[in-house]
Amino acid sequence: MAILVVGTIGLDTVETPFGRVEEVLGGSASYFSLAASLYVPVQLVSIAGTDLSAEHLQLFRSRGIDLAGLSIVEGRTFRWAGRYSYDLNSRETLETQLNVLTQFHPQLPESYRSARYVFLANIDPELQLAVLEQVERPALVLLDSMNFWIEGKRQALDEVIGRVDIVLMNDGEVRQYCHTHSIVRAAGEVLSVGMRRNGKPWGLIVKKGENGAVLFTREGYFFAPAYPLENVKDPTGAGDSFAGGFLGYLARSAPDGNFSLPMLKRAVIHGTVVASYTVEDFSVERLRTLTLADIEIRYEQVREYTHFA
Amino acid sequence: MAILVVGTIGLDTVETPFGRVEEVLGGSASYFSLAASLYVPVQLVSIAGTDLSAEHLQLFRSRGIDLAGLSIVEGRTFRWAGRYSYDLNSRETLETQLNVLTQFHPQLPESYRSARYVFLANIDPELQLAVLEQVERPALVLLDSMNFWIEGKRQALDEVIGRVDIVLMNDGEVRQYCHTHSIVRAAGEVLSVGMRRNGKPWGLIVKKGENGAVLFTREGYFFAPAYPLENVKDPTGAGDSFAGGFLGYLARSAPDGNFSLPMLKRAVIHGTVVASYTVEDFSVERLRTLTLADIEIRYEQVREYTHFA
């Protein structure tokens, strides 16, 4: 059973203390689908301009990523340029060119509508809602967002949060969304949004960069450390790679959508491990060659690093 | 078998977003010994002025803390005043009065010299060395330090680091000590200090506040999350409480000093759990009533929050 992802395909120009790359493949849907396709087939919903190179499309196809939902329209592909600080913990956006993204009105091919696992990557929450409307009965919908929508489209964001199963945010976004410094209290608030109406969301994953990730549910917590790395080259795409490893592992383990809490915990570890590989190189470079065997090695190491008898 | 601690006893004035306390019991040796004495007897080496109240001395005695190594001298006890930021992640020192601390020349009572577990809390590294000289053959020496000594007494600090078993620093201090942002690389550097001469230290524990703690050894890592708290009142003493839980658990589990790696991992969790209780109230308030049964409850919860099958 395939995973459906809706998000961006972009051409990124990125500067970190360890180098600079220009107009390389980026965007949430790119990172996610290259990560998740290590586990299961991926159905991609996105938009790109006619300037997206055939080599990039070929990369997706070579990984069995279904491009029936990708619109290629006249014009330029979405572009983003950013620069990371010395410690890689903060970044400055130098330029955002939406380009063809302004024409994005996701229409799901018929074959996509029965998807059991869905990732609504970081795009306008109104588009995320439009996609949700077209999916029949997903078992798990994961939602990503960002400060831009928290500030500018709060109502639509609240609406979509109340209709998904798990929300993915970084620690700064969770604090901003809930106007509180305490992540624990903020998590409780996110989980209560829409709860009265829909009983959703039931989970929140807080991404904490080099400090790992935490899954909050009404039943408890699960902490995953970041895999310890000596050399991080480019943090771009870490969050979407996390989502790809997380949903990919779940969809592979429970294709029918009947996943368990132990599976969810393992999925969080898979997410952090896939992200740890992504950040070791620029763009999607490391995801091109990554294998499930590589992932398994770090997964076992993380178990050693966290378990106590 | 008792744990020996050398450190400060102070009277703290602390302001956090949740309140303010004046001239309450503080200091590294106070937090450590009240925490560690939950597990095993503690031998305290410190200095205080004649203004330290009998009530505070009685608190130590009520916990079986040996005060034979505590000098009470004419004058005023060490005082510290500080204010925490809104998010509790940074603090500003408003005032430090060394007072009788300037006369501190630790002399160990004969009964202290055979200690198997030693905590050199954050004091001048030359005093830490002087204490080490007086201990016969400790099984494990844990060292704490701070930015002040990294800047001002680098050579003495390097010397003492090369003579202890485990170094305890927060993430900022580790980065400062090694002039690198990467905690993983910095940890490797700390472990190599003095290595050629003494084969020490073999462990580094990096305290990361709300992000928990990491034990680095040459063989690998161990990650412990911070116990998730909705309400933190006062972070003062968290690090020394961590040290107390950590060494206390080890000394109780391996009184002969023959501890194992699994024991070390459990000790790290005990450290984070004890610290989680300390920060829920001002000063040493929570440590007055804390029990091993309380600690066991959160310990089991942390296991649930971190293990995956």
Side-chain angles (χ1 to χ4, degrees):
Chain A
M1 177 59 75
I3 301 177
L4 170 66
V5 54
V6 55
T8 57
I9 289 178
L11 294 172
D12 289 353
T13 295
V14 177
E15 201 180 317
T16 82
F18 309 104
R20 178 187 153 89
V21 288
E22 277 188 52
E23 304 231 327
V24 292
L25 185 60
S28 55
S30 302
Y31 282 102
F32 177 88
S33 58
L34 289 170
S37 62
L38 290 167
Y39 298 86
V40 293
V42 172
Q43 297 174 322
L44 188 146
V45 181
S46 192
I47 190 166
T50 42
D51 60 347
L52 190 73
S53 85
E55 192 249 326
H56 293 145
L57 294 173
Q58 184 46 37
L59 172 61
F60 291 131
R61 283 197 200 96
S62 74
R63 294 289 281 273
I65 296 164
D66 187 340
L67 302 181
L70 173 63
S71 308
I72 305 271
V73 301
E74 199 61 48
R76 280 164 63 79
T77 299
F78 169 66
R79 274 163 174 79
W80 177 80
R83 183 165 47 206
Y84 287 83
S85 63
Y86 163 71
D87 65 7
L88 299 175
N89 280 335
S90 63
R91 74 179 185 193
E92 180 189 358
T93 288
L94 301 175
E95 191 181 22
T96 303
Q97 294 179 20
L98 293 179
N99 298 334
V100 298
L101 209 51
T102 57
Q103 305 164 46
F104 190 30
H105 303 291
Q107 282 301 321
L108 268 51
E110 193 53 41
S111 59
Y112 282 30
R113 294 174 190 259
S114 56
R116 302 292 285 143
Y117 291 89
V118 175
F119 180 47
L120 305 175
N122 170 31
I123 52 172
D124 185 331
E126 292 179 13
L127 297 184
Q128 293 176 320
L129 281 168
V131 169
L132 261 191
E133 295 289 348
Q134 301 172 57
V135 187
E136 284 157 8
R137 42 169 203 95
L140 192 157
V141 180
L142 178 68
L143 172 88
D144 190 21
S145 196
M146 72 183 292
N147 52 358
F148 186 73
W149 311 117
I150 295 174
E151 289 156 20
K153 293 232 175 168
R154 178 67 189 227
Q155 207 178 334
L157 181 59
D158 285 353
E159 173 72 19
V160 67
I161 283 178
R163 295 184 55 189
V164 304
D165 301 285
I166 305 185
V167 175
L168 190 63
M169 283 187 183
N170 69 37
D171 43 3
E173 289 158 1
V174 171
R175 291 183 166 120
Q176 181 189 17
Y177 184 73
C178 298
H179 307 289
T180 170
H181 180 75
S182 163
I183 291 284
V184 177
R185 202 166 326 135
E189 283 184 43
V190 172
L191 294 183
S192 74
V193 167
M195 178 56 193
R196 275 156 306 193
R197 200 169 34 190
N198 306 315
K200 290 190 177 182
W202 52 259
L204 166 70
I205 296 174
V206 179
K207 300 173 285 181
K208 302 198 295 177
E210 64 168 356
N211 293 307
V214 190
L215 168 68
F216 294 86
T217 70
R218 261 180 288 277
E219 282 73 46
Y221 310 89
F222 179 66
F223 294 89
Y227 181 87
L229 293 174
E230 270 204 45
N231 297 298
V232 174
K233 264 194 188 164
D234 175 10
T236 310
D240 296 305
S241 301
F242 173 93
F246 174 78
L247 269 199
Y249 176 81
L250 267 191
R252 188 181 173 96
S253 307
D256 54 1
N258 290 323
F259 51 84
S260 61
L261 183 61
M263 271 182 210
L264 273 175
K265 293 179 173 184
R266 292 195 291 268
V268 172
I269 302 294
H270 273 261
T272 59
V273 165
V274 173
S276 79
Y277 282 110
T278 295
V279 302
E280 286 186 304
D281 207 340
F282 284 95
S283 179
V284 299
E285 283 312 305
R286 190 63 185 86
L287 288 172
R288 286 177 192 268
T289 55
L290 188 64
T291 66
L292 287 181
D294 296 329
I295 294 168
E296 206 54 47
I297 290 169
R298 289 193 175 173
Y299 179 92
E300 286 305 322
Q301 288 176 314
V302 173
R303 187 206 301 272
E304 266 178 57
Y305 300 161
T306 54
H307 284 216
F308 50 96
Chain B
M1 176 62 73
I3 300 178
L4 169 67
V5 54
V6 54
T8 57
I9 290 178
L11 294 172
D12 288 352
T13 295
V14 177
E15 202 179 316
T16 83
F18 309 103
R20 180 187 150 89
V21 290
E22 276 187 52
E23 304 231 324
V24 292
L25 184 60
S28 54
S30 302
Y31 282 101
F32 178 89
S33 58
L34 289 170
S37 62
L38 290 167
Y39 299 86
V40 291
V42 172
Q43 298 172 321
L44 188 148
V45 181
S46 193
I47 191 166
T50 41
D51 60 346
L52 189 75
S53 85
E55 193 250 324
H56 293 146
L57 294 173
Q58 184 46 37
L59 172 61
F60 291 131
R61 282 196 199 95
S62 74
R63 293 288 281 274
I65 297 164
D66 187 341
L67 302 181
L70 173 63
S71 307
I72 305 270
V73 300
E74 199 62 48
R76 279 165 63 79
T77 298
F78 169 65
R79 275 163 172 79
W80 177 80
R83 182 164 50 202
Y84 286 83
S85 63
Y86 163 71
D87 65 7
L88 298 175
N89 280 334
S90 63
R91 74 181 186 192
E92 180 190 1
T93 289
L94 300 174
E95 191 181 24
T96 303
Q97 293 178 21
L98 293 178
N99 298 334
V100 298
L101 207 53
T102 57
Q103 304 164 47
F104 190 31
H105 303 291
Q107 283 299 321
L108 269 53
E110 192 54 41
S111 59
Y112 282 31
R113 294 173 190 260
S114 56
R116 302 292 285 143
Y117 290 89
V118 176
F119 181 48
L120 305 176
N122 170 30
I123 52 171
D124 186 331
E126 292 178 13
L127 297 184
Q128 292 176 320
L129 280 168
V131 170
L132 261 192
E133 295 288 346
Q134 300 172 57
V135 187
E136 284 156 11
R137 40 167 204 96
L140 193 157
V141 180
L142 178 68
L143 172 87
D144 190 21
S145 195
M146 72 183 293
N147 53 357
F148 186 74
W149 310 117
I150 294 174
E151 290 155 19
K153 292 231 176 170
R154 177 71 188 225
Q155 208 178 334
L157 180 59
D158 285 351
E159 172 73 19
V160 67
I161 282 180
R163 295 183 56 187
V164 305
D165 299 286
I166 304 185
V167 175
L168 190 63
M169 283 186 183
N170 68 38
D171 43 2
E173 289 158 0
V174 171
R175 290 185 167 119
Q176 181 189 17
Y177 184 71
C178 298
H179 307 289
T180 170
H181 179 74
S182 162
I183 291 284
V184 176
R185 202 164 327 134
E189 284 183 43
V190 172
L191 294 183
S192 73
V193 168
M195 176 56 192
R196 275 157 305 190
R197 199 169 37 193
N198 306 315
K200 289 188 178 182
W202 53 259
L204 165 69
I205 296 173
V206 179
K207 299 173 285 182
K208 302 198 295 176
E210 65 168 354
N211 292 307
V214 190
L215 167 67
F216 294 86
T217 70
R218 261 181 287 276
E219 282 72 47
Y221 311 89
F222 179 65
F223 293 89
Y227 182 87
L229 293 173
E230 269 205 46
N231 297 298
V232 174
K233 263 194 188 164
D234 175 10
T236 310
D240 296 306
S241 300
F242 173 93
F246 174 78
L247 270 198
Y249 176 81
L250 268 191
R252 188 182 173 96
S253 307
D256 53 3
N258 290 323
F259 51 84
S260 61
L261 183 62
M263 271 182 207
L264 273 176
K265 292 179 173 184
R266 293 196 290 269
V268 172
I269 302 294
H270 273 261
T272 58
V273 165
V274 174
S276 78
Y277 282 110
T278 295
V279 302
E280 287 186 304
D281 206 341
F282 284 95
S283 180
V284 300
E285 282 314 303
R286 190 63 184 87
L287 288 172
R288 286 177 193 268
T289 55
L290 188 64
T291 66
L292 286 181
D294 296 329
I295 294 169
E296 206 53 47
I297 290 170
R298 290 193 175 174
Y299 179 92
E300 286 304 323
Q301 288 176 313
V302 174
R303 187 204 302 272
E304 266 177 60
Y305 299 162
T306 55
H307 284 216
F308 51 96

